[in-house]
Amino acid sequence: MKKWYEYLWIFSAVYLALGFFNILFAWIGLICFFTPLLLSIIGKGKIYCNRYCGRGQLFELLGGRLKLSSNRDIPAFIRSKWFRYGFLAFFMTMFAIMIFSTYLVFNGTSNLKEVVTLLWTIKLPWNWTNTSAVSPWIAQFAFGFYSVMLTSTILGLITMFFFKPRSWCVYCPMGTMTQGISMLKYRRKVKANGTTSKRDS
């Protein structure tokens, strides 16, 4: 019998669909942003990536069961540390720009831009959704965050098609961050154990 978390791919699919009807649903995506970090910080390692990531499950479903993946090994350079951390740095830079754009709308320096940006360059008008019920900065964040989520999904689908289903997981920024946190915690633990051993001796 399947576990409840094996159906989290439905959450990812529904989340992406809801953004087409009301961009404000994009805020729900923060769950996928903070949960893996919190789990890693409390010592659970990459359990989110390995068990709870609905997007990874969705890629596995599309690429594995539906045979939409060529199932080839991902190139070695994408697995390399410099690429993964370089992509993380780029991703976080784009995220910071998104936050800054939200701040500009918040303090009235800039007006709300009702567009979803794909792959950080392609701007799609998204003005059919009604955001008048909330402050402009709340809507601006939603547009920006949904752009990030949709872009990362498209990148995942591209690598799923050309390589193995969950190739996105190799260079996913969240996976890289949780791995980095886990490594830091492990080093601290080893250092602490080493200090304790010296004291005991």
Side-chain angles (χ1 to χ4, degrees), residues 4-86:
W4 63 269
Y5 51 77
E6 295 182 76
Y7 295 97
L8 287 174
W9 63 269
I10 299 174
F11 172 82
S12 291
V14 170
Y15 170 78
L16 292 171
L18 287 175
F20 282 88
F21 297 100
N22 193 323
I23 196 65
L24 297 178
F25 282 112
W27 279 82
I28 298 175
L30 288 174
I31 296 173
C32 303
F33 189 86
F34 288 113
T35 302
L37 296 178
L38 291 173
L39 287 173
S40 184
I41 289 171
I42 64 175
K44 298 297 183 179
K46 296 187 67 174
I47 190 172
Y48 180 88
C49 300
N50 298 328
R51 182 179 296 179
Y52 302 117
C53 181
R55 185 182 302 180
Q57 292 177 12
L58 184 61
F59 293 151
E60 186 66 44
L61 175 66
L62 296 174
R65 294 185 187 178
L66 299 184
K67 308 297 183 182
L68 298 180
S69 171
S70 61
N71 210 36
R72 291 180 294 186
D73 289 334
I74 197 167
F77 80 90
I78 296 181
R79 294 180 177 275
S80 66
K81 183 181 292 187
W82 69 266
F83 181 88
R84 290 186 292 108
Y85 281 94

XYZ file of all heavy atoms in Angstrom, residues 4-86:
696
model
N 1.114 8.121 2.046
C 0.456 9.368 1.654
C 1.385 10.292 0.880
O 0.966 10.986 -0.053
C -0.077 10.090 2.892
C 0.998 10.515 3.864
C 1.477 9.808 4.921
C 1.734 11.748 3.831
N 2.470 10.514 5.562
C 2.639 11.707 4.927
C 1.713 12.871 3.009
C 3.517 12.755 5.198
C 2.584 13.920 3.277
C 3.473 13.854 4.362
N 2.669 10.287 1.241
C 3.595 11.214 0.601
C 3.952 10.807 -0.825
O 4.569 11.581 -1.553
C 4.863 11.383 1.442
C 5.538 10.099 1.865
C 6.314 9.361 0.979
C 5.411 9.628 3.172
C 6.938 8.192 1.366
C 6.032 8.458 3.573
C 6.795 7.739 2.668
O 7.411 6.581 3.049
N 3.561 9.608 -1.227
C 3.813 9.186 -2.603
C 2.832 9.820 -3.589
O 2.971 9.650 -4.801
C 3.748 7.663 -2.695
C 4.845 6.955 -1.913
C 4.784 5.444 -2.055
O 5.193 4.942 -3.122
O 4.318 4.777 -1.110
N 1.863 10.540 -3.059
C 0.885 11.220 -3.905
C 1.108 12.732 -3.942
O 0.255 13.470 -4.420
C -0.528 10.935 -3.396
C -0.929 9.481 -3.498
C -0.813 8.631 -2.398
C -1.415 8.951 -4.692
C -1.177 7.297 -2.485
C -1.779 7.620 -4.787
C -1.658 6.797 -3.680
O -2.014 5.478 -3.778
N 2.254 13.179 -3.449
C 2.514 14.615 -3.405
C 2.732 15.217 -4.793
O 2.725 16.439 -4.946
C 3.727 14.902 -2.508
C 3.459 14.736 -1.005
C 4.743 14.883 -0.208
C 2.425 15.749 -0.531
N 2.910 14.368 -5.798
C 3.016 14.882 -7.163
C 1.711 15.581 -7.567
O 1.726 16.509 -8.394
C 3.334 13.754 -8.146
C 2.275 12.692 -8.254
C 2.181 11.545 -7.530
C 1.150 12.700 -9.147
N 1.072 10.827 -7.907
C 0.424 11.511 -8.903
C 0.694 13.582 -10.126
C -0.737 11.189 -9.599
C -0.465 13.270 -10.822
C -1.161 12.082 -10.561
N 0.606 15.155 -6.961
C -0.682 15.793 -7.246
C -0.654 17.238 -6.759
O -1.157 18.149 -7.429
C -1.833 15.016 -6.575
C -1.896 13.589 -7.129
C -3.164 15.733 -6.779
C -2.913 12.704 -6.432
N -0.044 17.458 -5.596
C 0.082 18.813 -5.048
C 0.844 19.711 -6.013
O 0.439 20.850 -6.278
C 0.796 18.760 -3.695
C 1.136 20.113 -3.132
C 0.181 20.856 -2.458
C 2.407 20.643 -3.289
C 0.492 22.111 -1.944
C 2.731 21.891 -2.778
C 1.767 22.630 -2.105
N 1.949 19.203 -6.557
C 2.756 19.999 -7.488
C 1.982 20.326 -8.759
O 2.026 21.458 -9.254
C 4.042 19.244 -7.846
O 4.899 19.161 -6.734
N 1.275 19.338 -9.284
C 0.507 19.553 -10.513
C -0.630 20.548 -10.289
O -0.855 21.451 -11.108
C -0.042 18.221 -11.020
N -1.332 20.400 -9.174
C -2.446 21.304 -8.862
C -1.930 22.718 -8.616
O -2.541 23.704 -9.049
C -3.235 20.791 -7.640
C -4.243 21.836 -7.163
C -3.955 19.496 -7.984
N -0.795 22.822 -7.941
C -0.205 24.137 -7.666
C 0.069 24.897 -8.961
O -0.280 26.079 -9.092
C 1.091 23.976 -6.872
C 1.883 25.255 -6.746
C 1.500 26.229 -5.827
C 2.990 25.500 -7.550
C 2.212 27.417 -5.710
C 3.703 26.680 -7.443
C 3.310 27.633 -6.522
O 4.017 28.815 -6.424
N 0.691 24.235 -9.916
C 0.992 24.881 -11.189
C -0.283 25.273 -11.926
O -0.354 26.337 -12.546
C 1.841 23.952 -12.061
C 3.267 23.689 -11.560
C 3.921 22.590 -12.382
C 4.100 24.959 -11.610
N -1.300 24.421 -11.848
C -2.570 24.707 -12.524
C -3.292 25.889 -11.881
O -3.855 26.740 -12.579
C -3.460 23.472 -12.500
N -3.252 25.967 -10.555
C -3.950 27.047 -9.855
C -3.397 28.420 -10.231
O -4.137 29.403 -10.257
C -3.844 26.844 -8.340
C -4.691 25.719 -7.743
C -4.387 25.565 -6.257
C -6.176 25.993 -7.951
N -2.104 28.474 -10.520
C -1.494 29.742 -10.892
C -2.070 30.332 -12.162
O -2.010 31.547 -12.378
N -2.638 29.489 -13.011
C -3.254 29.974 -14.242
C -4.600 30.646 -13.959
O -5.043 31.499 -14.718
C -3.456 28.820 -15.227
C -2.205 28.419 -15.945
C -1.342 27.479 -15.399
C -1.878 28.983 -17.166
C -0.185 27.108 -16.058
C -0.725 28.617 -17.833
C 0.128 27.678 -17.280
N -5.231 30.261 -12.864
C -6.541 30.809 -12.530
C -6.443 32.002 -11.582
O -7.187 32.968 -11.714
C -7.419 29.717 -11.911
C -7.707 28.584 -12.844
C -6.995 27.399 -12.771
C -8.684 28.704 -13.823
C -7.254 26.350 -13.640
C -8.954 27.664 -14.700
C -8.232 26.483 -14.612
N -5.532 31.909 -10.636
C -5.317 33.022 -9.713
C -3.868 33.001 -9.254
O -3.445 32.072 -8.562
C -6.263 32.924 -8.514
C -6.290 34.213 -7.703
O -5.269 34.881 -7.535
N -7.458 34.573 -7.193
N -3.132 34.019 -9.635
C -1.698 34.066 -9.368
C -1.387 34.078 -7.877
O -0.286 33.691 -7.455
C -1.075 35.305 -10.054
C 0.451 35.177 -10.126
C -1.490 36.584 -9.341
C 0.924 34.054 -10.996
N -2.344 34.477 -7.056
C -2.098 34.559 -5.615
C -1.857 33.191 -4.982
O -1.282 33.095 -3.898
C -3.269 35.261 -4.917
C -3.493 36.723 -5.330
C -4.702 37.301 -4.612
C -2.251 37.564 -5.034
N -2.281 32.135 -5.669
C -1.999 30.788 -5.170
C -0.495 30.501 -5.165
O -0.045 29.532 -4.548
C -2.717 29.734 -6.020
C -4.178 29.595 -5.711
C -5.136 29.991 -6.632
C -4.593 29.066 -4.502
C -6.491 29.865 -6.353
C -5.950 28.925 -4.206
C -6.901 29.331 -5.134
N 0.274 31.338 -5.844
C 1.724 31.143 -5.892
C 2.343 31.166 -4.500
O 3.378 30.535 -4.262
C 2.368 32.216 -6.768
N 1.715 31.887 -3.580
C 2.243 31.968 -2.213
C 2.323 30.594 -1.551
O 3.161 30.373 -0.671
C 1.371 32.901 -1.368
C 1.679 34.355 -1.571
C 1.229 35.165 -2.578
C 2.512 35.175 -0.743
N 1.721 36.442 -2.432
C 2.512 36.477 -1.307
C 3.242 34.952 0.414
C 3.230 37.537 -0.746
C 3.957 36.007 0.976
C 3.947 37.279 0.392
N 1.470 29.680 -1.964
C 1.484 28.331 -1.382
C 2.832 27.659 -1.630
O 3.285 26.822 -0.846
C 0.338 27.478 -1.974
C -1.014 28.105 -1.640
C 0.392 26.041 -1.457
C -2.200 27.404 -2.289
N 3.491 28.058 -2.713
C 4.776 27.463 -3.062
C 5.862 27.686 -2.027
O 6.888 26.991 -2.044
N 5.654 28.630 -1.121
C 6.644 28.854 -0.063
C 6.804 27.623 0.825
O 7.844 27.441 1.465
C 6.240 30.066 0.784
C 6.401 31.436 0.106
C 5.839 32.532 0.997
C 7.865 31.708 -0.217
N 5.772 26.790 0.844
C 5.870 25.529 1.596
C 7.024 24.694 1.051
O 7.813 24.110 1.807
C 4.548 24.734 1.498
C 3.404 25.508 2.155
C 4.691 23.351 2.140
C 2.039 24.874 1.944
N 7.126 24.653 -0.280
C 8.179 23.871 -0.933
C 9.543 24.541 -0.807
O 10.568 23.911 -1.071
C 7.843 23.672 -2.409
S 6.249 22.885 -2.704
N 9.544 25.805 -0.432
C 10.798 26.540 -0.293
C 11.379 26.385 1.110
O 12.578 26.135 1.276
C 10.562 28.021 -0.600
C 11.821 28.835 -0.700
C 12.517 28.908 -1.894
C 12.307 29.526 0.393
C 13.682 29.654 -1.994
C 13.471 30.275 0.306
C 14.157 30.337 -0.886
N 10.534 26.513 2.117
C 11.029 26.498 3.490
C 11.091 25.100 4.106
O 11.963 24.831 4.932
C 10.163 27.400 4.373
C 10.366 28.862 4.113
C 9.362 29.630 3.556
C 11.574 29.473 4.415
C 9.549 30.980 3.308
C 11.775 30.825 4.171
C 10.760 31.580 3.616
N 10.181 24.207 3.720
C 10.138 22.879 4.335
C 11.444 22.102 4.189
O 11.964 21.572 5.179
C 8.969 22.054 3.769
O 7.743 22.749 4.001
C 8.901 20.685 4.433
N 12.026 21.999 2.979
C 13.289 21.258 2.874
C 14.415 21.874 3.691
O 15.243 21.155 4.261
C 13.601 21.293 1.369
C 12.749 22.363 0.804
C 11.553 22.455 1.662
N 14.446 23.208 3.765
C 15.489 23.869 4.547
C 15.324 23.577 6.034
O 16.298 23.264 6.728
C 15.456 25.379 4.301
C 15.776 25.843 2.877
C 15.654 27.356 2.773
C 17.170 25.397 2.458
N 14.091 23.662 6.519
C 13.833 23.405 7.936
C 14.150 21.954 8.300
O 14.757 21.686 9.345
C 12.374 23.727 8.272
C 11.990 25.211 8.241
C 10.487 25.382 8.430
C 12.747 25.984 9.314
N 13.753 21.029 7.441
C 14.036 19.613 7.706
C 15.535 19.354 7.747
O 16.027 18.586 8.581
C 13.376 18.738 6.637
C 11.850 18.608 6.711
C 11.321 17.852 5.504
C 11.434 17.905 7.998
N 16.257 20.010 6.854
C 17.706 19.837 6.827
C 18.361 20.447 8.062
O 19.282 19.866 8.641
C 18.274 20.473 5.556
O 19.658 20.245 5.452
N 17.866 21.601 8.486
C 18.428 22.283 9.654
C 18.241 21.461 10.927
O 19.121 21.431 11.796
C 17.793 23.685 9.811
C 18.302 24.612 8.698
C 18.112 24.291 11.177
C 17.579 25.938 8.622
N 17.107 20.774 11.045
C 16.856 19.980 12.258
C 17.472 18.583 12.170
O 17.219 17.734 13.026
C 15.348 19.865 12.562
C 14.617 19.094 11.452
C 14.736 21.235 12.771
C 13.141 18.834 11.762
N 18.273 18.355 11.130
C 19.027 17.111 11.063
C 18.421 15.995 10.242
O 18.864 14.847 10.334
N 17.435 16.313 9.415
C 16.797 15.281 8.595
C 17.457 15.111 7.228
O 16.981 14.334 6.396
C 15.310 15.609 8.403
C 14.507 15.635 9.695
C 14.488 14.275 10.368
C 13.618 14.293 11.618
N 13.574 12.967 12.278
N 18.534 15.839 6.997
C 19.268 15.689 5.742
C 18.435 16.061 4.528
O 17.745 17.070 4.509
N 18.486 15.204 3.514
C 17.759 15.452 2.274
C 16.479 14.616 2.205
O 16.067 14.178 1.137
C 18.654 15.150 1.072
C 19.873 16.061 0.961
C 20.641 15.828 -0.326
C 19.826 16.242 -1.527
N 20.579 16.161 -2.792
N 15.849 14.432 3.349
C 14.642 13.613 3.385
C 13.527 14.207 2.527
O 12.733 13.484 1.929
C 14.149 13.411 4.841
C 13.039 12.353 4.867
C 13.683 14.725 5.460
C 12.620 11.944 6.266
N 13.475 15.536 2.445
C 12.446 16.159 1.612
C 12.651 15.776 0.149
O 11.702 15.398 -0.543
C 12.477 17.679 1.765
C 11.429 18.380 0.927
C 10.148 18.593 1.424
C 11.709 18.811 -0.366
C 9.174 19.214 0.655
C 10.745 19.431 -1.143
C 9.483 19.632 -0.630
O 8.520 20.240 -1.405
N 13.888 15.879 -0.315
C 14.191 15.541 -1.709
C 13.898 14.070 -1.999
O 13.355 13.728 -3.052
C 15.654 15.844 -2.014
S 16.126 17.574 -1.782
N 14.264 13.219 -1.073
C 14.146 11.780 -1.295
C 12.735 11.237 -1.086
O 12.386 10.191 -1.646
C 15.105 11.036 -0.370
C 16.558 11.392 -0.642
O 16.932 11.670 -1.777
N 17.370 11.399 0.400
N 11.926 11.950 -0.295
C 10.622 11.389 0.059
C 9.438 12.303 -0.251
O 8.400 11.823 -0.718
C 10.604 11.033 1.546
C 9.308 10.392 2.013
C 9.361 10.046 3.489
N 10.376 9.037 3.785
C 10.627 8.581 5.008
N 9.940 9.076 6.047
N 11.556 7.670 5.204
N 9.577 13.597 0.004
C 8.407 14.476 -0.026
C 8.330 15.419 -1.229
O 7.350 16.164 -1.343
C 8.359 15.317 1.253
C 8.322 14.507 2.516
C 9.351 14.586 3.449
C 7.259 13.646 2.785
C 9.324 13.837 4.617
C 7.223 12.890 3.943
C 8.259 12.992 4.858
O 8.235 12.246 6.006
N 9.312 15.420 -2.084
C 9.313 16.370 -3.199
C 8.300 15.949 -4.266
O 8.521 14.993 -5.016
C 10.704 16.486 -3.818
S 10.764 17.665 -5.194
N 7.203 16.686 -4.342
C 6.167 16.372 -5.319
C 6.613 16.587 -6.746
O 6.191 15.872 -7.661
N 7.488 17.563 -6.954
C 7.961 17.831 -8.309
C 8.815 16.675 -8.822
O 8.675 16.252 -9.965
C 8.768 19.128 -8.342
C 9.189 19.516 -9.743
C 10.027 20.772 -9.736
N 9.314 21.886 -9.140
C 9.826 23.104 -9.013
N 11.051 23.350 -9.422
N 9.120 24.075 -8.466
N 9.679 16.160 -7.955
C 10.483 15.006 -8.339
C 9.607 13.812 -8.676
O 9.870 13.076 -9.636
N 8.557 13.617 -7.892
C 7.615 12.525 -8.162
C 6.911 12.733 -9.504
O 6.678 11.778 -10.248
C 6.579 12.447 -7.042
C 7.125 12.015 -5.699
C 6.055 12.038 -4.621
O 4.867 12.154 -4.903
N 6.475 11.938 -3.372
N 6.574 13.991 -9.796
C 5.899 14.303 -11.058
C 6.803 13.985 -12.244
O 6.353 13.403 -13.242
C 5.500 15.778 -11.076
C 4.694 16.258 -12.288
C 3.368 15.501 -12.390
C 4.441 17.758 -12.199
N 8.080 14.331 -12.127
C 9.029 14.013 -13.198
C 9.190 12.501 -13.349
O 9.319 11.986 -14.462
C 10.390 14.652 -12.910
C 10.383 16.153 -12.962
C 11.273 16.894 -12.202
C 9.492 16.827 -13.776
C 11.271 18.277 -12.251
C 9.475 18.215 -13.831
C 10.371 18.944 -13.066
N 9.190 11.802 -12.219
C 9.307 10.343 -12.254
C 8.093 9.724 -12.942
O 8.211 8.769 -13.714
C 9.439 9.806 -10.828
C 9.708 8.310 -10.744
C 11.062 7.925 -11.312
O 12.048 8.630 -11.022
O 11.119 6.923 -12.058
N 6.929 10.281 -12.666
C 5.694 9.786 -13.276
C 5.691 10.024 -14.782
O 5.421 9.111 -15.571
C 4.489 10.480 -12.636
C 3.117 10.165 -13.243
C 2.751 8.704 -13.015
C 2.043 11.073 -12.645
N 6.020 11.256 -15.176
C 6.003 11.601 -16.599
C 7.114 10.897 -17.370
O 6.893 10.369 -18.461
C 6.140 13.121 -16.768
C 4.996 13.977 -16.215
C 5.337 15.453 -16.331
C 3.692 13.679 -16.945
N 8.299 10.909 -16.787
C 9.441 10.332 -17.491
C 9.538 8.829 -17.387
O 9.977 8.158 -18.330
N 9.120 8.288 -16.230
C 9.224 6.852 -16.012
C 8.009 6.078 -16.486
O 8.069 5.316 -17.447
N 6.892 6.313 -15.841
C 5.685 5.550 -16.179
C 5.141 5.884 -17.565
O 4.689 5.002 -18.297
C 4.603 5.808 -15.130
C 4.943 5.276 -13.745
C 3.771 5.458 -12.810
N 4.121 5.120 -11.441
C 3.287 5.233 -10.409
N 2.044 5.668 -10.619
N 3.671 4.918 -9.193
N 5.163 7.169 -17.910
C 4.621 7.572 -19.212
C 5.675 7.556 -20.318
O 5.387 7.923 -21.459
C 3.992 8.965 -19.105
C 2.827 9.095 -18.113
C 2.222 10.490 -18.177
C 1.754 8.044 -18.392
N 6.899 7.173 -19.970
C 7.981 6.981 -20.949
C 8.308 8.246 -21.750
O 8.627 8.175 -22.943
C 7.611 5.851 -21.925
C 7.183 4.555 -21.270
C 8.286 3.938 -20.444
C 7.849 2.603 -19.851
N 8.884 1.994 -18.986
N 8.243 9.410 -21.098
C 8.565 10.658 -21.787
C 10.037 11.031 -21.648
O 10.459 12.073 -22.131
C 7.693 11.798 -21.244
C 6.181 11.639 -21.440
C 5.444 12.831 -20.853
C 5.842 11.480 -22.919
N 10.796 10.185 -20.991
C 12.220 10.441 -20.784
C 13.059 9.534 -21.676
O 12.713 8.371 -21.904
C 12.588 10.195 -19.318
O 13.987 10.242 -19.130
N 14.163 10.087 -22.181
C 15.081 9.268 -22.981
C 15.918 8.359 -22.092
O 16.605 7.463 -22.583
C 15.999 10.164 -23.819
O 16.774 11.000 -22.981
N 15.884 8.634 -20.787
C 16.529 7.781 -19.778
C 18.043 7.666 -19.963
O 18.638 6.645 -19.634
C 15.901 6.383 -19.788
C 15.955 5.733 -18.418
O 15.809 6.398 -17.397
N 16.174 4.434 -18.381
N 18.650 8.722 -20.465
C 20.105 8.742 -20.601
C 20.739 9.381 -19.374
O 20.110 10.177 -18.684
C 20.506 9.523 -21.858
C 20.141 8.815 -23.156
C 20.552 9.633 -24.360
N 19.788 10.876 -24.447
C 19.871 11.724 -25.464
N 20.700 11.485 -26.461
N 19.139 12.819 -25.480
N 21.990 9.030 -19.129
C 22.701 9.617 -17.996
C 22.911 11.109 -18.225
O 23.204 11.541 -19.347
C 24.063 8.941 -17.808
C 23.927 7.519 -17.292
O 22.904 7.230 -16.631
O 24.834 6.702 -17.554
N 22.784 11.863 -17.165
C 22.991 13.303 -17.253
C 24.487 13.573 -17.416
O 25.314 12.838 -16.864
C 22.430 14.001 -15.992
C 22.251 15.498 -16.229
C 23.295 13.745 -14.775
C 21.421 16.180 -15.162
N 24.876 14.576 -18.200
C 26.302 14.868 -18.404
C 27.042 15.106 -17.089
O 26.480 15.646 -16.135
C 26.278 16.141 -19.260
C 24.971 16.077 -19.981
C 24.013 15.445 -19.017
N 28.296 14.716 -17.079
C 29.094 14.807 -15.854
C 29.239 16.242 -15.365
O 29.286 16.489 -14.156
C 30.469 14.191 -16.094
N 29.298 17.208 -16.291
C 29.526 18.587 -15.855
C 28.342 19.131 -15.058
O 28.510 19.994 -14.192
C 29.835 19.490 -17.059
C 28.634 19.941 -17.838
C 27.971 21.121 -17.512
C 28.166 19.193 -18.911
C 26.868 21.543 -18.238
C 27.061 19.605 -19.638
C 26.411 20.783 -19.304
N 27.135 18.612 -15.326
C 25.970 19.055 -14.561
C 26.034 18.506 -13.138
O 25.554 19.128 -12.191
C 24.663 18.623 -15.256
C 24.536 19.322 -16.615
C 23.444 18.941 -14.392
C 23.274 18.980 -17.375
N 26.658 17.364 -12.978
C 26.822 16.785 -11.644
C 27.937 17.460 -10.847
O 28.012 17.309 -9.630
C 27.150 15.289 -11.757
C 26.023 14.438 -12.321
C 26.450 12.973 -12.390
N 25.380 12.123 -12.852
C 24.437 11.609 -12.075
N 24.452 11.865 -10.770
N 23.498 10.847 -12.577
N 28.792 18.179 -11.540
C 29.964 18.759 -10.883
C 29.573 19.810 -9.850
O 28.527 20.455 -9.953
C 30.896 19.378 -11.922
O 30.280 20.491 -12.549
N 30.445 19.978 -8.871
C 30.178 20.934 -7.795
C 30.113 22.358 -8.319
O 29.260 23.142 -7.903
C 31.257 20.812 -6.718
C 31.034 21.722 -5.521
C 32.129 21.583 -4.485
C 32.097 20.226 -3.825
N 33.071 20.143 -2.700
N 31.004 22.697 -9.253
C 31.033 24.073 -9.744
C 29.739 24.436 -10.472
O 29.258 25.570 -10.367
C 32.237 24.316 -10.655
C 32.194 23.620 -11.985
C 32.739 22.415 -12.302
C 31.550 24.088 -13.183
N 32.484 22.084 -13.617
C 31.758 23.106 -14.185
C 30.832 25.231 -13.509
C 31.265 23.234 -15.481
C 30.331 25.361 -14.807
C 30.552 24.371 -15.774
N 29.158 23.474 -11.203
C 27.907 23.759 -11.905
C 26.752 23.879 -10.914
O 25.947 24.816 -10.991
C 27.599 22.665 -12.926
C 26.330 22.923 -13.703
C 26.360 23.670 -14.870
C 25.103 22.439 -13.255
C 25.189 23.932 -15.583
C 23.932 22.693 -13.955
C 23.975 23.439 -15.122
N 26.667 22.946 -9.983
C 25.549 22.941 -9.032
C 25.558 24.189 -8.154
O 24.520 24.828 -7.969
C 25.599 21.676 -8.170
C 25.267 20.412 -8.941
C 25.185 19.187 -8.056
N 26.480 18.816 -7.508
C 26.821 18.970 -6.235
N 25.961 19.487 -5.369
N 28.019 18.605 -5.815
N 26.726 24.552 -7.643
C 26.792 25.733 -6.785
C 26.740 27.019 -7.613
O 26.258 28.050 -7.132
C 28.045 25.683 -5.915
C 27.875 24.762 -4.726
C 28.288 23.429 -4.786
C 27.264 25.210 -3.556
C 28.113 22.574 -3.709
C 27.083 24.359 -2.475
C 27.505 23.048 -2.558
O 27.308 22.198 -1.493
N 27.218 26.943 -8.838
C 27.093 28.093 -9.729
C 25.640 28.358 -10.078
O 25.184 29.508 -10.084
